[in-house]
Amino acid sequence: MNRYTTKTFALEMLMIAVAIVFAFPVYVLVNLAFRAPSDTSSPIALTQSPTLANFTDAWREGGLGGALINSVLVTAVSVLIVLTVSSLAAYPLARSTAHWSRGTFLLIMLGLILPFQLAALPLYQTIRDLGLLGSVWSLVLFYAGLQVPFTTFLYVGFLRALPRDFEEAATIDGCGPLTAFRYVILPMLKPITVTALVLNTVSVWNDFFTPLLYLSGSDQQTMPVAVAGFVGQFVSDWNLIFAALLISIVPVLAVYLSLQRSIINGFAGGLKG
C-alpha cells in the first residue's frame, strides 16, 4: 500500500516553505557579514569575494572582546548557580507530601506569574545600595534570582515522574537524603538539566534590558548591549553590524551544537513521561 499521498506531499511542501522563511534572514545575515562594504550588489545575491575584514573591524571598533568575556562570565556563573539551587530546591518539593511543600512550591511559582518589571526600581535601588552598579556581579545576582522559579518548575515536574524505587534502595543501604540525591537522583536528572542549561543560557545571553540598566555609565557591557551600540555607531554599515551579530551568535550556537544529542534526549524523555 502506497502511503505517500497528496496530503503527504502538500505537508512536505508546507514544511519546506516554512523552513525557507526561517532560513532566509539567516542567509542574508551570513551573506552580508562576509561581503566587502564596497560590494553594492543585492543582499540576496551570493557574495562572490568573501572577506573576514568585517569581523576584524567589528571586533576592534566595537570593543567586542571585553563584552564577550563579560557575557561568558555572567552566563556561566548565573546558570551554574541557577541549576544548583533549583535542583536542590526541587528535590524536597517533589518528594515531600507535607502541606508546607505545596505552599512553598506555589510561593516559588509566583516568580513565574509576576513580571520582573514590577520590581525593576526596588531591585535597582538594592543593587545601588550594595555598591554593585556597573559591576557584572550585579547581573549574576539578578539572573540567579530571576531564573530559579522557572528552572525549579522544570525540575519538580521531572522529579515527580521519576520512580522512588532507586531512592528507597539507597536509603536501605544507609544513604542520607543528600547522598541519595548526589549519587542516585542527580545522574537521572541529566536530560532536564541539559534542557534547563540551554534555556537559561539563551535567556541570560540574549538579555538586553538588565545589562543596559545595571551597567549604564560604566565601561562594562555585554554582547547585546555592545551590538546595540554598534548599530548606533555604524548605522549605515550593515556589513559590520551583521558581522558583529554573527560573532554574538556563535558562542550560544556552539553550546547548542555540543549538547544537541542530550537536548533531543531530554525532550524525548519528557514526551515519553
Side-chain angles (χ1 to χ4, degrees):
M1 179 179 178
N2 186 11
R3 296 185 178 182
Y4 191 84
T5 62
T6 304
K7 183 178 179 180
T8 304
F9 175 77
L11 182 60
E12 288 181 352
M13 292 298 101
L14 177 62
M15 294 173 63
I16 292 174
V18 172
I20 292 175
V21 169
F22 280 94
F24 179 73
V26 178
Y27 163 75
V28 174
L29 171 67
V30 176
N31 192 38
L32 292 183
F34 286 93
R35 177 178 296 182
S38 58
D39 188 347
T40 58
S41 58
S42 172
I44 303 177
L46 185 65
T47 299
Q48 299 300 321
S49 301
T51 177
L52 296 176
N54 294 328
F55 294 91
T56 57
D57 293 343
W59 185 271
R60 182 182 64 256
E61 298 175 17
L64 299 184
L68 181 61
I69 294 175
N70 288 337
S71 287
V72 171
L73 175 64
V74 170
T75 303
V77 177
S78 300
V79 172
L80 178 62
I81 294 174
V82 168
L83 294 180
T84 303
V85 172
S86 299
S87 59
L88 289 172
Y91 182 54
L93 291 175
R95 289 298 189 242
S96 177
T97 57
H99 292 294
W100 66 264
S101 176
R102 179 175 177 82
T104 304
F105 179 69
L106 293 177
L107 182 63
I108 294 176
M109 289 304 99
L110 284 177
L112 292 176
I113 300 173
L114 300 177
F116 78 91
Q117 289 85 354
L118 291 177
L121 182 57
L123 284 174
Y124 183 86
Q125 293 173 338
T126 301
I127 295 296
R128 180 196 61 193
D129 295 339
L130 291 174
L132 294 177
L133 283 181
S135 170
V136 294
W137 298 111
S138 63
L139 302 180
V140 172
L141 183 63
F142 176 84
Y143 293 130
L146 179 68
Q147 299 298 118
V148 163
F150 173 69
T151 310
T152 303
F153 172 77
L154 293 179
Y155 274 116
V156 168
F158 193 87
L159 280 165
R160 285 175 176 172
L162 290 179
R164 298 173 179 262
D165 301 346
F166 300 101
E167 300 163 68
E168 294 173 354
T171 303
I172 294 174
D173 290 339
C175 292
L178 287 178
T179 305
F181 175 79
R182 179 181 177 183
Y183 293 104
V184 179
I185 299 300
L186 193 58
M188 300 172 65
L189 293 179
K190 180 181 177 182
I192 193 63
T193 298
V194 173
T195 302
L197 185 149
V198 173
L199 293 177
N200 282 290
T201 297
V202 172
S203 177
V204 173
W205 184 275
N206 290 334
D207 186 28
F208 172 79
F209 175 75
T210 306
L212 181 66
L213 180 65
Y214 291 154
L215 301 182
S216 179
S218 70
D219 58 350
Q220 304 289 337
Q221 58 182 355
T222 58
M223 286 299 291
V225 177
V227 172
F230 208 92
V231 172
Q233 185 178 2
F234 303 101
V235 66
S236 60
D237 198 339
W238 290 105
N239 303 87
L240 289 184
I241 294 172
F242 287 154
L245 284 172
L246 203 57
I247 293 174
S248 68
I249 293 172
V250 168
V252 177
L253 186 62
V255 171
Y256 173 78
L257 293 177
S258 63
L259 300 175
Q260 185 176 16
R261 184 181 298 274
S262 298
I263 295 169
I264 295 174
N265 292 337
F267 282 118
L271 292 173
K272 292 178 182 177

